[in-house]
Amino acid sequence: MAPRISVLMLTYNRPQFIGAAIESILAQDFQEWELLVVHDGPNEEIPVVMREWQQRDSRIHYFRRPIPGNIAEASNFGLAHARGQYIAVLDDDDYWARADKLSKQAQFLDSHPDHCCCGGGVIVMDPAGREQMRYLKPERDQQIKRRALMANPLAHSTTLYRREAALQTGGYDETLAGFQDWDLWLKMGKTGKLYNFPEYFLHYRVWQGSGS
């Protein structure tokens, strides 16, 4: 039986953080998920780490791409292998802040068929795990779309979105050098409504090797 949610995690060269990210998935009170870890790059620690995780839980799937590409290509690779009705995203150096994150979002999309994606707020952490700041995104669809061209309207690793809606828009644009998720929200927002929970769903780790 296919899982209801496919969690997409890209990894490149950060084996030291993957464990915390995966633990936050295992801690979810919603358990009908699969995790797809897509690995680009030459790091040889990651396959060892992932073998251990796969032995612990059969819902964890590891893919090492022979030819590394950009974030959009790796994301689309994950989408192509996903089986879930919904797609969640979690960067390998971040971790979810609430055990009810997936259940809240799945229930919301189940009961709001006019919405194609929902996200939430972010807690920014330093390398030592100290909170630096936290922020929420605009909540309602009208508020989100009013500001969608000025700032990324949803934080990628907080989102849960409909797989079919993403595929119908062409997925992540592989020609873009950055902001591939922002582009996806703009495209998906033409076909359905967007929503951000006024709650903090993600610990976002800021360190020397992170992106923003």
Side-chain angles (χ1 to χ4, degrees):
M1 182 184 297
R4 296 218 43 224
I5 294 176
S6 296
V7 183
L8 177 58
M9 181 184 295
L10 308 186
T11 187
Y12 181 76
N13 194 30
R14 301 182 284 213
Q16 70 272 35
F17 296 131
I18 292 176
I22 295 177
E23 288 284 6
S24 75
I25 300 170
L26 292 171
Q28 292 295 303
D29 58 16
F30 185 99
Q31 288 291 306
E32 296 177 59
W33 52 261
E34 65 176 352
L35 170 60
L36 310 177
V37 178
V38 181
H39 176 198
D40 279 5
N43 189 289
E44 294 302 330
E45 291 181 56
I46 293 171
V48 176
V49 171
M50 290 311 305
R51 275 196 297 271
E52 295 174 355
W53 279 107
Q54 286 182 289
Q55 290 170 1
R56 286 180 55 178
D57 198 308
S58 62
R59 296 172 295 177
I60 299 174
H61 308 285
Y62 170 67
F63 302 90
R64 187 168 190 179
R65 300 203 309 154
I67 302 175
N70 62 29
I71 291 173
E73 291 168 350
S75 297
N76 285 335
F77 179 93
L79 273 179
H81 287 81
R83 297 177 298 145
Q85 176 186 5
Y86 301 135
I87 302 293
V89 179
L90 182 59
D91 286 346
D92 61 345
D93 58 344
D94 299 329
Y95 54 103
W96 287 332
R98 298 179 58 121
D100 60 354
K101 186 251 187 210
L102 291 182
S103 59
K104 277 179 171 287
Q105 291 181 297
Q107 184 178 23
F108 178 85
L109 291 180
D110 285 346
S111 59
H112 293 80
D114 57 338
H115 283 67
C116 57
C117 181
C118 58
V122 175
I123 304 169
V124 180
M125 313 293 287
D126 72 9
R130 295 181 295 254
E131 180 178 336
Q132 299 300 295
M133 62 173 289
R134 56 178 63 196
Y135 61 87
L136 297 170
K137 295 282 190 176
E139 181 179 356
R140 302 289 178 181
D141 182 69
Q142 188 175 13
Q143 299 168 307
I144 292 171
K145 290 176 179 176
R146 190 178 296 131
R147 297 183 56 196
L149 294 177
M150 295 181 283
N152 195 334
L154 298 104
H156 200 205
S157 284
T158 71
T159 56
L160 187 75
Y161 60 83
R162 300 183 190 277
R163 178 167 60 95
E164 287 304 318
L167 293 174
Q168 287 171 7
T169 65
Y172 295 85
D173 189 337
E174 298 179 6
T175 68
L176 295 176
F179 303 111
Q180 298 93 338
D181 57 326
W182 190 349
D183 174 74
L184 182 63
W185 314 142
L186 294 177
K187 293 187 296 187
M188 289 178 65
K190 294 180 179 179
T191 64
K193 292 184 178 181
L194 309 173
Y195 179 75
N196 279 308
F197 283 83
E199 301 174 39
Y200 298 96
F201 284 162
L202 180 72
H203 286 114
Y204 176 80
R205 203 189 304 262
V206 175
W207 60 289
Q208 188 176 3
S210 66
S212 62

